[in-house]
């Protein structure tokens, strides 16, 4: 019986609420599919600060190091907002986790069911069948990490700040590979986004990507787009894309634009894959909803658990190689929401809204 060993880091506010429903769905699936779940909870974010004095306690990191994957909720909120920026839950928990596991590839599906087009700020006529694309963001390089990164005082008394954008061939090739593998399981179409008309790093990016696809994935239709155009095209006709992939800062912005056109954050999952392999020889990854801790609705039992449940499905797919089981969870979410019309408040649009637990019950019923 395959054993799924993962660390559960629920985090703060709605994090634990949606995490317990995702675990209930996983328990149901495990029973049906003959899988053994082997997971332990650990504090992270604000819970880490409150209970251990830091956002990523050593014991939490140690638990993650022994696991094959991390199922993450979300961290942060008003309670810790007055802390210095470097100690804030998100920065002090997620960045070290990304660093510790070299989580270089963020995969965010942009999925909007055709029955939920009301949730999108785009006109339904532009997305009659909803949206189905994937955005892949390089997560450990580029301007967020490049050195030098300084603020200095000039002789004339002005302040000057410098960020440095750096990429090397190997970093570009490994994210290109993730985009190619993702596209192979979908429409075999990849659009690489850069700013090669202005930036040196983008000139290298475009050259390396072109050569990499020509050599390793000639069957995939590769195109290139400048980031300013990509931002427009996402709003104009998102389904022209299949897999969109780009460097860290462009991906930060485009993946959030994609999230907003797909409606509620409560529906969007994500995976961050590391360079390392887990004990099964598969990519170690951190799987989390695209949204945050939603303090405005926390404690009311009304948060949408779908993003967390879909993140658990991504964990089964990427870190445990259980594509068929992941497919079943994704199909059950779609059937519960789109076919059965079971909706939490964020996606109700005039329909009666159910709570977190009832939403998960509907998904379990479909499973
Ligand atoms: P947010 O994503 O928490 O909330 C934005 C809006 O989306 C809110 O109206 C919220 O109610 C709604 N929403 C989000 N998830 C939902 C769900 N599952 N069901 C229903 N509605 C949902 O963004 P924010 O308010 O800007 O941030 C709140 C806190 O979360 C901040 O402290 C921020 O730093 C943190 N945050 C953490 C992460 C992370 O852990 N990766 C990501 C983003 C924000």
């Amino acid at each position: 019986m395959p054993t799924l060993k993962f660390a559960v880091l629920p985090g703060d506010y709605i994090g634990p609420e949606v995490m317990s429903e995702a675990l209930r769905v996983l328990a149901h699936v495990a029973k049906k599919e003959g899988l053994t779940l082997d997971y332990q909870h650990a504090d992270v974010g604000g819970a880490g600060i409150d209970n251990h004095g830091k956002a990523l306690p050593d014991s939490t990191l140690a638990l993650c190091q022994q696991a094959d994957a991390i199922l993450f909720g979300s961290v942060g909120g008003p309670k810790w907002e007055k802390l210095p920026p470097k100690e804030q839950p998100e920065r002090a928990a997620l960045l070290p986790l990304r660093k510790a596991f070299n989580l270089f590839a963020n995969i965010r599906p942009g999925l909007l069911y055709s029955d939920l087009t009301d949730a999108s700020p785009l006109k339904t006529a532009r997305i009659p069948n909803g949206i189905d694309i994937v955005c892949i963001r390089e997560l450990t390089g580029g301007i967020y990490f490049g050195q030098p990164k300084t603020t200095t005082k000039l002789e004339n008394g002005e302040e000057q700040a410098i960020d440095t954008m750096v990429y090397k061939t190997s970093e570009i090739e490994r994210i290109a590979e993730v985009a190619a593998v993702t596209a192979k399981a979908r429409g075999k179409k990849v659009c690489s986004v850069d700013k090669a008309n202005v930036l040196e790093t983008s000139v290298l990016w475009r050259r390396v990507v072109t050569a990499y696809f020509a050599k390793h994935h000639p069957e995939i239709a590769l195109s290139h787009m400048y980031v300013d155009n990509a931002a427009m095209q996402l709003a104009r006709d998102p389904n022209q894309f299949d897999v969109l992939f780009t460097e860290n800062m462009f991906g930060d912005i485009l993946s959030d634009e994609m999230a907003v056109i797909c409606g509620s954050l409560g529906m969007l999952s994500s995976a961050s894959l590391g360079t390392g392999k887990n004990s099964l020889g598969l990519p170690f990854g951190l799987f989390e909803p695209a949204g945050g801790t939603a303090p405005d609705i926390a404690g009311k039992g009304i948060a949408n658990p779908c993003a967390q449940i879909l993140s658990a499905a991504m964990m089964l797919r990427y870190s445990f190689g259980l594509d068929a089981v992941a497919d079943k969870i994704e199909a059950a979410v779609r059937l519960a929401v789109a076919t059965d019309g079971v909706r939490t408040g964020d996606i109700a649009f005039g329909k009666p809204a159910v709570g977190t637990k009832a939403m998960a019950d509907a998904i379990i019923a479909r499973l």
Side-chain angles (χ1 to χ4, degrees), residues 14 18 72-77 81 90 94 264-266 288-297 302-304 346:
I14 67 160
V18 291
F72 194 91
S74 42
V75 295
E81 257 167 25
E90 224 185 313
L94 272 170
S264 176
L265 285 170
E288 60 171 335
T293 57
D296 53 332
I297 56 165
I302 58 171
N304 187 344
D346 56 313

Side-chain angles (χ1 to χ4, degrees), residues 105-298:
N106 181 250
I107 305 174
R108 197 186 276 194
L111 188 61
L112 174 70
Y113 306 143
S114 53
D115 313 67
L116 279 185
T117 48
D118 277 358
S120 174
L122 299 188
K123 290 189 181 110
T124 298
R126 295 200 166 209
I127 44 167
N129 301 316
I131 298 173
D132 184 2
I133 59 180
V134 177
C135 181
I136 295 180
R137 166 187 170 196
E138 201 289 328
L139 209 54
T140 50
I143 200 163
Y144 292 176
F145 295 97
Q147 294 296 334
K149 194 182 227 351
T150 54
T151 305
T152 48
K153 208 155 207 158
L154 299 177
E155 276 174 13
N156 67 3
E158 274 191 275
E159 280 194 295
Q160 175 176 278
I162 298 175
D163 293 294
T164 308
M165 196 163 192
V166 195
Y167 271 107
K168 52 184 181 222
T169 311
S170 54
E171 289 172 307
I172 301 169
E173 286 182 340
R174 69 186 184 188
I175 192 82
E177 177 63 20
V178 174
V181 169
T182 307
K184 271 188 188 170
R186 296 174 45 93
K188 298 188 176 52
K189 232 173 80 178
V190 166
C191 179
S192 167
V193 174
D194 61 40
K195 189 71 182 164
N197 49 345
V198 182
L199 298 175
E200 276 303 304
T201 43
S202 282
V203 172
L204 179 69
W205 180 282
R206 193 174 281 218
R207 187 154 44 80
V208 170
V209 167
T210 304
Y212 190 83
F213 274 79
K215 185 169 177 197
H216 299 284
H217 303 288
E219 73 284 16
I220 288 180
L222 173 70
S223 61
H224 301 273
M225 196 178 275
Y226 295 140
V227 63
D228 42 347
N229 189 22
M232 287 194 290
Q233 296 302 330
L234 257 182
R236 205 182 63 81
D237 176 17
N239 288 314
Q240 71 183 276
F241 299 110
D242 177 28
V243 174
L244 194 70
F245 91 108
T246 187
E247 65 87 45
N248 203 345
M249 180 169 62
F250 299 160
D252 191 358
I253 298 164
L254 290 182
S255 62
D256 270 12
E257 182 185 348
M258 189 191 70
V260 82
I261 62 171
C262 287
S264 176
L265 285 170
M267 294 301 296
L268 298 177
S269 55
S270 82
S272 298
L273 303 183
T275 43
K277 300 273 186 253
N278 63 22
S279 73
L280 308 165
L282 292 164
F284 182 92
L286 180 149
F287 302 86
E288 60 171 335
T293 57
D296 53 332
I297 56 165

Side-chain angles (χ1 to χ4, degrees), residues 77-96:
K79 189 172 175 201
W80 306 280
E81 257 167 25
K82 298 222 158 54
L83 288 173
K86 278 188 179 162
E87 292 170 30
Q88 298 264 336
E90 224 185 313
R91 188 157 163 191
L94 272 170
L95 292 190

